[in-house]
Amino acid sequence: MSKSSELKRFRAALADGDSQVRLNAAVRLAYLGCADGVSELVAGLSHPEGAIRLVQVPEALALLGEPGLAAARTLVTTPGPARLGAAQTLVMGSEWTGVIEAIVATLDDPDPINRGTAMSLAGDIGPAAEDAFAAIAAHVAADPEMALALAAIDTSRAYPIIHAAADGDGAGPRAAAISALAGLGPLAVGSVDLVAAALNDPSRTLRERLSAGATLARISRDGDVAAQHIGGALRDADRWLKIGLLRALGQLGAGYPRLPERSWVWPLWSSRFALSAPTVSSSDSRTVRVIADYLDSDDYDLRRNAALALSFYRKNARPVADLVERAQIEDGLRHEVLRLVRGVAGKPHDDGALDMRNPAVDLDDIAPPCEQLWADATGGVLDYRIDVPKWQFLHYLVERKDVVLHGSRTADLTVLEPRSRSWGGSRTAGQPGLFAADHALMAMYFGIVDRPRTRYLRNGIDYKKRTFQLAVEFASLADRPFTDAVVYILPRETFARLGELTSVVQVKPLASLAVRPDDFPLLEYLWGADIGAPASQFGDRFPFLQDVALYPSKRSGRSAIST
């Protein structure tokens, strides 16, 4: 669709009787550089949903430049629900007047989304939020996660407060404080014993212990000391913690870049702050031997992550090469590790593909029962009584009935509203709408993954190759964050590929189908993703190492053992 056609379409939608449709159109127009919907955007700063009033609308207003910023300047000093979104808009437009006052005024808000956004806004602008430091510090006892914002504002003043939070109550706040210590680097060296104790405490959560391992690699003055702590915890760890600690040991290798890594974990400022201090380096040859012990593991993912870690120990090239030559690891990994530690140029080993494919299904064979069931579709829940796996039935509908699918944890919806925000990594995908997939397994995946129990998903589809990628955040995949869900079967008419298949108007389903996690045929082969360090350290020349860097786990715990 051309830009002029889109402008015409969205301008017409500004007259729609549904306020949500008008707001969606205004956001889309702003991304096309058109300010016709600015009044709808201003109203959207008071929207009841946090993602809309605090992210979508501020981004749109900031993109408009002066028309949007002018509205925000007025609202940022006016008490009410629009104030914080106005502050967000101004920060996106590189303006600060009134922002600190709006942050401070929101810290006592009863809505945790507003308080969290105020904290994130302070952390995002860092030292520029100095005048909010005292107010934020006063709230740390009640909300320890605010310690991270303090660290971004003033590291030295924040350190004792963060140390206390890391020694406090609550696994989530402790993990956040331990990650904040990582961003302080050697300034937090006095917390090494505290963080090491968290790492070695089996009663702590996986996320907290993973945070502790990564933090030790950044706050220890001596890399060998960090390696001893991490290696000691590795011996008695379960498979998930072992994977994470092997990655932490890898970051102690002399070949690991000492510069801050990139991260795409939202909110970006907090993940980037946690990676902002360089890691220390271990020169102890015992560290190499500790890592190498896992090269012959029966666990597919332990082998992969041990190889990844050893690829950074290039100053130990000869012993690493000898160990890798003898190990029972996959040829692609062996080839790339040896190239790196020996400094040998050459083409990568072929076949480092990450792609998944649909399990085989004969659509003609399953057509009669699928047609019989589809004939009963009246907009409600299908009474599933055919002897065809549910994913195959959904796949049949996509291929033969020109429908699209929407996976959800919410049952019994008679109308689906375009209120969501996709974190698809682009401005287009980040705009509001109702999102769908013309791919059965991807739609089921979006439904059965319990989003409140995981921080992010990583997925993609290549329509030309007919392949796809599906992953869940590594630390949450260990807890199997799956739930019963519903797949809504929707008419395609109002959907356009706006980054993703998106409808900016409400849609009535043709039918819906209840699904359970065990209906998903690739459940035990979902990848565990780690969108951050050390994902950015390997390029296309090292597809197998890049694979491990992005996907610490490529199988669940139930299917990890391979002989």
Side-chain angles (χ1 to χ4, degrees):
M1 184 181 297
S2 67
K3 181 177 178 179
S4 60
S5 298
E6 289 187 315
L7 286 170
K8 182 177 179 180
R9 175 188 175 196
F10 295 133
R11 281 174 174 146
L14 290 176
D16 195 278
D18 186 328
S19 62
Q20 186 65 50
V21 172
R22 296 196 303 273
L23 178 58
N24 291 348
V27 172
R28 298 275 172 177
L29 285 168
Y31 277 84
L32 292 170
C34 175
D36 284 10
V38 69
S39 61
E40 294 292 341
L41 294 176
V42 170
L45 288 175
S46 300
H47 197 284
E49 293 193 24
I52 293 176
R53 72 175 182 273
L54 298 171
V55 183
Q56 292 172 350
V57 174
E59 283 182 353
L61 284 168
L63 278 174
L64 290 177
E66 186 54 31
L69 296 175
R73 291 186 198 110
T74 299
L75 291 170
V76 78
T77 60
T78 305
R83 187 176 190 181
L84 190 60
Q88 188 89 284
T89 301
L90 291 174
V91 170
M92 291 175 177
S94 301
E95 293 191 20
W96 314 110
T97 303
V99 169
I100 303 303
E101 292 81 0
I103 291 172
V104 172
T106 309
L107 294 175
D108 290 316
D109 195 298
D111 186 340
I113 294 176
N114 287 342
R115 293 197 307 274
T117 301
M119 177 201 72
S120 290
L121 193 55
D124 198 10
I125 62 180
E130 169 63 30
D131 289 345
F133 187 96
I136 296 172
H139 286 77
V140 168
D143 190 355
E145 294 201 19
M146 288 198 178
L148 186 58
L150 293 181
I153 295 169
D154 187 329
T155 54
S156 58
R157 288 176 65 194
Y159 171 59
I161 301 172
I162 298 171
H163 179 92
D167 197 26
D169 297 325
R174 282 198 306 259
I178 288 171
S179 291
L181 288 172
L184 302 181
L187 180 64
V189 68
S191 299
V192 165
D193 290 343
L194 172 67
V195 175
L199 172 61
N200 286 285
D201 184 348
S203 70
R204 304 290 181 99
T205 65
L206 173 64
R207 191 178 300 281
E208 189 173 354
R209 298 180 78 185
L210 289 173
S211 296
T215 295
L216 285 171
R218 297 177 187 275
I219 67 173
S220 302
R221 291 194 185 280
D222 187 333
D224 293 339
V225 171
Q228 289 169 16
H229 284 304
I230 297 168
L234 191 60
R235 288 191 294 269
D236 299 320
D238 66 14
R239 78 171 299 258
W240 297 96
L241 183 58
K242 277 187 168 75
I243 288 171
L245 296 184
L246 284 169
R247 297 168 80 77
L249 286 176
Q251 294 182 48
L252 296 174
Y256 192 82
R258 303 272 80 87
L259 297 175
E261 298 90 340
R262 292 181 295 164
S263 175
W264 296 271
V265 181
W266 190 88
L268 293 177
W269 73 269
S270 62
S271 55
R272 287 172 178 166
F273 178 79
L275 299 173
S276 61
T279 55
V280 291
S281 178
S282 172
S283 58
D284 192 339
S285 60
R286 288 175 295 183
T287 305
V288 168
R289 293 196 295 273
V290 167
I291 298 170
D293 283 345
Y294 294 92
L295 287 175
D296 293 315
S297 171
D298 289 337
D299 189 313
Y300 173 70
D301 290 325
L302 290 180
R303 296 197 301 273
R304 296 168 67 243
N305 282 277
L308 173 80
L310 287 177
S311 69
F312 292 115
Y313 283 80
R314 296 164 200 166
K315 287 190 176 180
N316 307 78
R318 179 170 293 178
V320 168
D322 289 345
L323 292 164
V324 171
E325 288 276 21
R326 296 196 300 266
Q328 299 300 309
I329 62 172
E330 290 69 17
D331 286 343
L333 275 176
R334 186 196 323 275
H335 175 85
E336 291 178 5
V337 175
L338 291 175
R339 281 180 59 205
L340 278 170
V341 298
R342 289 172 172 167
V344 177
K347 295 182 179 180
H349 193 276
D350 10 357
D351 159 82
L354 300 171
D355 296 331
M356 300 168 119
R357 294 182 180 274
N358 281 330
V361 55
D362 186 333
L363 293 178
D364 291 331
D365 184 55
I366 65 172
C370 290
E371 290 288 345
Q372 181 183 16
L373 180 61
W374 185 239
D376 295 337
T378 58
V381 181
L382 289 169
D383 178 14
Y384 203 81
R385 59 188 184 279
I386 61 175
D387 189 23
V388 173
K390 290 183 176 179
W391 82 266
Q392 293 187 11
F393 171 69
L394 292 170
H395 180 57
Y396 178 87
L397 294 183
V398 168
E399 295 296 317
R400 298 286 173 88
K401 300 298 179 181
D402 197 31
V403 299
V404 294
L405 308 173
H406 176 86
S408 173
R409 292 181 295 114
T410 304
D412 302 322
L413 294 175
T414 57
V415 175
L416 277 67
E417 298 281 352
R419 297 173 182 264
S420 302
R421 172 181 170 85
S422 168
W423 298 97
S426 69
R427 283 181 169 177
T428 303
Q431 296 170 46
L434 170 63
F435 302 98
D438 50 0
H439 191 280
L441 292 180
M442 187 164 281
M444 292 179 73
Y445 153 88
F446 285 126
I448 64 170
V449 176
D450 193 358
R451 293 302 301 273
R453 293 168 57 198
T454 185
R455 291 188 177 181
Y456 54 81
L457 307 180
R458 183 180 177 91
N459 53 80
I461 188 164
D462 186 324
Y463 287 98
K464 290 183 178 179
K465 295 181 180 179
R466 300 182 70 82
T467 60
F468 55 97
Q469 300 176 10
L470 303 175
V472 178
E473 181 214 15
F474 165 70
S476 51
L477 184 61
D479 292 328
R480 298 182 65 79
F482 308 125
T483 187
D484 293 350
V486 174
V487 175
Y488 290 94
I489 304 160
L490 308 174
R492 185 184 283 267
E493 284 79 7
T494 62
F495 286 87
R497 199 166 293 284
L498 303 172
E500 300 180 42
L501 279 172
T502 310
S503 174
V504 296
V505 299
Q506 61 181 220
V507 179
K508 291 184 178 181
L510 301 170
S512 62
L513 180 65
V515 295
R516 298 174 55 86
D518 55 11
D519 291 322
F520 185 75
L522 300 177
L523 189 71
E524 302 305 328
Y525 293 87
L526 283 178
W527 298 324
D530 183 6
I531 309 182
S536 62
Q537 310 307 334
F538 300 99
D540 294 340
R541 295 180 304 118
F542 300 96
F544 285 88
L545 289 170
Q546 185 181 48
D547 173 352
V548 189
L550 284 169
Y551 301 97
S553 171
K554 288 187 71 177
R555 306 181 184 200
S556 79
R558 294 185 182 180
S559 60
I561 304 302
S562 63
T563 57

